[in-house]
Amino acid sequence: MTKSELEELLKEESLEFIQRHLNDDPELLALKFRGTGSLPIRAIAEQIRCIKKAAGKLPELSAHPLLYEKTALEQASSEYTARLKAKLYRGDKLIDLTGGLGIDDTFFSGSFREVVYCEQNPVLSEIFRHNLNLLGIKNISVHEGNSLEILKTFPDKYFSLIYADPARRDENRRFIGLKNCSPDVVEAMPLMLKKSEKILIKASPAIEIEEIKRQFTNLKEFTVVSVDNECREVLLGFESGINKTRDIVIKSQMISSASGTERTFTGSDLEESKKNVAGEVLNWFYEPDSAIIKSRLTAKLAEELSLKFVNNSIDFLTSSELRPDFPGRIFEVKKVLPYKLREITHYLKSEDISSANVSRRDFPDAPEKIRKILKLKDGGMDYLFFTKDTSSRPIAIFCRKHTKKIGE
């Protein structure tokens, strides 16, 4: 969106037009009104597309007639993860070096007395000013320009927390590591530590803790956040006075959007839990939440819940007795077969299974190929997991999902 389009969009006539046509198809709307009147119809169509997307990503905020920008909305935190960050971090003054649409700051405003929002894109900062007025939030100040230069203007140790969600892409590439992101928080770490005792950086879900430990010696917490078993972001908590690369707190934060519940599982990079491998797949089969797997806390979880691994190379677990409080998906095992087409086909026919949910770990064939070979439709009540046993022989595990899991 251009600045001139935003100026037109902010006019009362445009805002009213958007609200009247929220249920219209934005593409058809753009064709119908293109070249007619003074309305910025391209920007209006984009707004309607964004509003539809925001309904899922920002369910409570989208109840207000807020404005958005397409790319910024894609990159913004979801309402679920923004609310979680505001619960985990509280204090007096916070500065956000990468304001964007200000979703995180909107929630941080309830946890900090003063929030400083920085954004060098004037379109985004103006959209945020408009949205702040609609939301009635008074304790956020909006600053346009280079955020690191803005940070330099504040006294040392002025902030309780510095927050940044560095841009992980340019026009042609998408980055995972922090060094190539904007702003460069690796280079800026000494400056940030002068201005605050604590720094929180939102990183790519694909980032690995080893990379962060190579770049920093003041990492205190490595937190993986999942929503509905999908890994959404990694939060890196830094603190002044720390000068080490071990004994880092590792956390899995798991959010259920349906129930509104949050679960936390915590460990340390110093802990080394031994893998207890079962000789066979037992009565119950477990797939940990993606945050547990990403955090590499499956072995610690298995140890605490007296679960055993299906094999040495994957995060599938099993037990004789049900563990209903398991953080992840739970299945009742119906049959375990070697990966032999004749035996599997016979079992599918005998159980009248024509469709199934297929997953695999440590298995050569993709689910699509497996379904094609077995002539299975996708979905249904049955679950098929393909992996290897303790002797590295491929196996198929036939299951039914346990539907009384806590938190669902």
Side-chain angles (χ1 to χ4, degrees), residues 25 230 363:
D25 183 289
E230 180 183 348
F363 194 84

Side-chain angles (χ1 to χ4, degrees), residues 75-243:
Q75 297 175 352
S77 298
S78 73
E79 194 169 289
Y80 307 105
T81 60
R83 185 182 290 111
L84 174 69
K85 288 191 281 283
K87 287 182 179 180
L88 296 178
Y89 290 87
R90 295 177 176 273
D92 188 41
K93 301 181 183 72
L94 174 144
I95 184 169
D96 182 352
L97 302 180
T98 51
L101 281 178
I103 304 303
D104 286 313
D105 294 340
T106 298
F107 287 90
F108 276 137
S109 68
S111 300
F112 289 82
R113 185 177 62 82
E114 176 187 339
V115 175
V116 176
Y117 160 104
C118 302
E119 176 56 57
Q120 58 185 359
N121 185 330
V123 170
L124 292 179
S125 59
E126 189 59 34
I127 288 175
F128 188 53
R129 285 191 185 96
H130 171 80
N131 290 342
L132 281 179
N133 288 332
L134 289 174
L135 295 170
I137 297 174
K138 305 296 184 183
N139 63 332
I140 301 180
S141 59
V142 177
H143 295 248
E144 285 182 20
N146 183 294
S147 60
L148 295 179
E149 294 302 317
I150 294 169
L151 180 61
K152 290 176 183 177
T153 66
F154 288 91
D156 290 353
K157 304 304 180 186
Y158 182 81
F159 294 103
S160 308
L161 181 70
I162 293 175
Y163 174 69
D165 177 9
R168 297 191 289 272
R169 69 177 73 185
D170 60 17
E171 292 182 358
N172 302 310
R173 294 176 296 173
R174 186 183 181 98
F175 305 114
I176 294 174
L178 294 175
K179 184 62 182 173
N180 295 316
C181 296
S182 178
D184 184 348
V185 292
V186 179
E187 184 177 328
M189 184 59 70
L191 170 63
M192 292 190 290
L193 288 172
K194 283 181 63 179
K195 304 299 179 179
S196 176
E197 296 284 343
K198 295 182 180 180
I199 294 108
L200 176 65
I201 296 173
K202 174 183 167 183
S204 164
I207 205 162
E208 297 293 342
I209 190 171
E210 286 80 8
E211 177 183 354
I212 303 303
K213 287 160 70 172
R214 285 194 298 268
Q215 293 173 319
F216 304 97
T217 59
N218 62 324
L219 180 65
K220 183 179 181 182
E221 291 186 351
F222 184 93
T223 302
V224 181
V225 182
S226 68
V227 179
D228 300 330
N229 202 18
E230 180 183 348
C231 188
R232 293 291 183 87
E233 59 193 53
V234 170
L235 301 177
L236 308 173
F238 300 90
E239 195 166 309
S240 63
I242 294 177
N243 187 21

